[in-house]
Amino acid sequence: RPRPRWTNPTMATLYGSASNFRLYRWNRSKISRHSSVRSSSRSVRSKVVVASASPNGSVPVSPKKVVITGGTGLVGSALASTLTSRGDNVVILTRDRFKARGSVKPARGKDAGALAFVETQDFADAVRGAYAIVNLAGEPISTRWTDEIKREIKSSRIRITELVATTINELPEEDRPKVLVSASALGYYGTSMSATFDEQSPGGTDYLAEVCRDWEVAASAAEVERRVIVRIGIVLSNEGGALAKMVPLFQMFAGGPPGEGSQWFSWIHRDDLVNMLITAIDDSRYEGVVNGVAPSPVRMSEFCSRLGQTLGRPNWLPVPGFALNAVLGEGASVVLDGQRVVPSRAQELGFQFRTTSVQQCLEVELVKEVSSSFI
């Protein structure tokens, strides 16, 4: 198929020159009738939350241009699919736009928005004229922490966020995005077995608290009309993250809580987090810090017990803390320590969580996974 060329001046203004971008999905009216689009059974059965309006309101939203960093990850890919489903045009910043194409499932249909990928050198063109940027980029933290890895965990978040802020600030004011939604994490609060944290709680003093604090400071440098910092909890989805790593162990009858199991597990279903991010884009009341967690945190022992029951497997083989320390070093704190965090601000704003209990979340995700294996 020949490379697409812009013939519509509106599209040219929206995306810049066609040479800067290779669209992953084109509106069917732009595709030659001799072209065909192959849809796999996986994409047909995958669940996409369609937000044709603000998830917590009835006022329709007009299509927007949204730029996403970290758009090929567990949360970013679902966010991109959902935004294009409702007609928004999405541009994803990536290190390799050709490799990234297979990480995001584009929405289909005549009303779906366009999806494009851009590398760093073309980032300013992508940001120009966008309504919002959602900044989700950062290296994984569930690994053994060496001094080098700790530097990369921190610098990967700060570097991208500083790039976002600098790019915004260097644009003429009329071309700047109006909204920046930037990720942070619950590590901001430190850890505790007894305290309950909300958006007004002070920050912690450990390494992850330092990372999150500097991450948020970098985002605060962006000169936008509205800035939202979403401190994200443990995201549950059968497609990746903590749940996808734990399920195989339980299926092999080797599941159990890490350490004593008394640490807090503040979680959120991926669909709820995606809807919260979209609400933060659409709803002008969202500003400042919002905790991206479900309203019902549980102890790790309860989570593992419910996971075992849902899978029909025992929860009998806890992983000793000393073993995790031997394997992960200081990084073991990610699974051995926790914090009880509640979404006070989101609840004040009337956000409606679709999945409010961890049992409901596990049933939705694991039943969906079992059902898909028979399709």
Side-chain angles (χ1 to χ4, degrees):
R1 189 191 313 168
R3 291 178 65 86
R5 299 181 181 276
W6 299 124
T7 56
N8 186 321
T10 301
M11 296 297 284
T13 301
L14 181 64
Y15 289 108
S17 64
S19 62
N20 287 341
F21 299 97
R22 183 183 181 89
L23 287 181
Y24 181 64
R25 193 210 65 81
W26 283 84
N27 189 299
R28 289 188 179 183
S29 64
K30 304 294 184 186
I31 300 177
S32 167
R33 66 176 59 189
H34 299 291
S35 302
S36 62
V37 179
R38 185 184 306 170
S39 61
S40 66
S41 59
R42 178 183 175 91
S43 65
V44 170
R45 64 177 179 261
S46 63
K47 178 180 179 183
V48 176
V49 181
V50 179
S52 58
S54 177
N56 300 293
S58 58
V59 180
V61 293
S62 58
K64 300 176 175 69
K65 178 185 175 184
V66 180
V67 178
I68 305 175
T69 72
T72 59
L74 178 67
V75 176
S77 59
L79 175 63
S81 294
T82 305
L83 287 170
T84 55
S85 293
R86 71 173 194 172
D88 290 330
N89 299 303
V90 173
V91 182
I92 293 176
L93 174 65
T94 179
R95 285 172 288 195
D96 186 336
R97 60 195 176 99
F98 298 105
K99 185 177 180 180
R101 292 184 306 173
S103 302
V104 183
K105 301 168 188 172
R108 303 189 185 280
K110 64 179 182 179
D111 296 324
L115 177 64
F117 298 87
V118 61
E119 296 175 12
T120 305
Q121 64 269 23
D122 298 315
F123 187 50
D125 287 336
V127 171
R128 181 178 287 105
Y131 179 82
I133 298 182
V134 182
N135 177 36
L136 301 172
E139 289 295 316
I141 63 172
S142 298
T143 184
R144 183 176 181 83
W145 290 358
T146 62
D147 289 342
E148 181 179 356
I149 295 237
K150 287 174 69 175
R151 284 193 296 271
E152 183 58 24
I153 286 172
K154 184 175 182 178
S155 66
S156 65
R157 287 160 172 77
I158 307 303
R159 185 171 60 248
I160 294 295
T161 306
E162 287 179 343
L163 171 65
V164 168
T166 301
T167 302
I168 291 172
N169 296 347
E170 289 179 349
L171 288 172
E173 188 171 350
E174 62 272 17
D175 292 336
R176 293 175 187 171
K178 291 180 171 54
V179 182
L180 171 62
V181 180
S182 194
S184 184
L186 301 188
Y188 175 90
Y189 300 110
T191 63
S192 176
M193 291 290 190
S194 57
T196 298
F197 302 99
D198 66 11
E199 291 85 351
Q200 302 303 316
S201 300
T205 58
D206 59 14
Y207 165 71
L208 287 180
E210 176 189 326
V211 170
C212 293
R213 186 163 49 251
D214 291 350
W215 195 5
E216 294 181 15
V217 168
S220 70
E223 297 174 2
V224 290
E225 293 182 10
R226 187 164 54 86
R227 184 185 306 105
V228 186
I229 302 293
V230 183
R231 293 176 182 157
I232 299 174
I234 300 168
V235 181
L236 295 184
S237 167
N238 69 355
E239 295 184 16
L243 184 59
K245 292 177 181 178
M246 296 176 74
V247 165
L249 294 174
F250 277 82
Q251 290 175 330
M252 293 187 295
F253 295 86
E260 296 180 357
S262 57
Q263 65 271 37
W264 283 101
F265 188 84
S266 295
W267 61 278
I268 186 168
H269 190 236
R270 182 176 65 166
D271 292 347
D272 276 333
L273 178 58
V274 167
N275 280 342
M276 185 180 290
L277 294 171
I278 292 175
T279 305
I281 293 171
D282 294 339
D283 193 333
S284 61
R285 297 175 303 158
Y286 278 68
E287 191 163 7
V289 175
V290 178
N291 286 335
V293 291
S296 53
V298 296
R299 301 278 187 180
M300 178 65 82
S301 56
E302 179 182 348
F303 175 76
C304 290
S305 176
R306 292 185 178 278
L307 176 57
Q309 291 172 7
T310 305
L311 291 171
R313 296 290 190 272
N315 171 41
W316 66 282
L317 194 62
V319 183
F322 72 84
L324 287 169
N325 281 312
V327 174
L328 298 176
E330 190 181 351
S333 62
V334 174
V335 291
L336 291 177
D337 301 322
Q339 56 281 107
R340 187 177 190 270
V341 181
V342 293
S344 297
R345 183 58 180 151
Q347 290 179 310
E348 288 172 4
L349 293 169
F351 183 82
Q352 298 297 313
F353 290 90
R354 299 180 180 182
T355 307
T356 55
S357 75
V358 74
Q359 183 63 48
Q360 178 191 10
C361 180
L362 291 172
E363 289 173 355
V364 167
E365 287 301 306
L366 299 180
V367 169
K368 180 171 66 176
E369 179 183 38
V370 171
S371 299
S372 67
S373 67
F374 290 98
I375 296 178

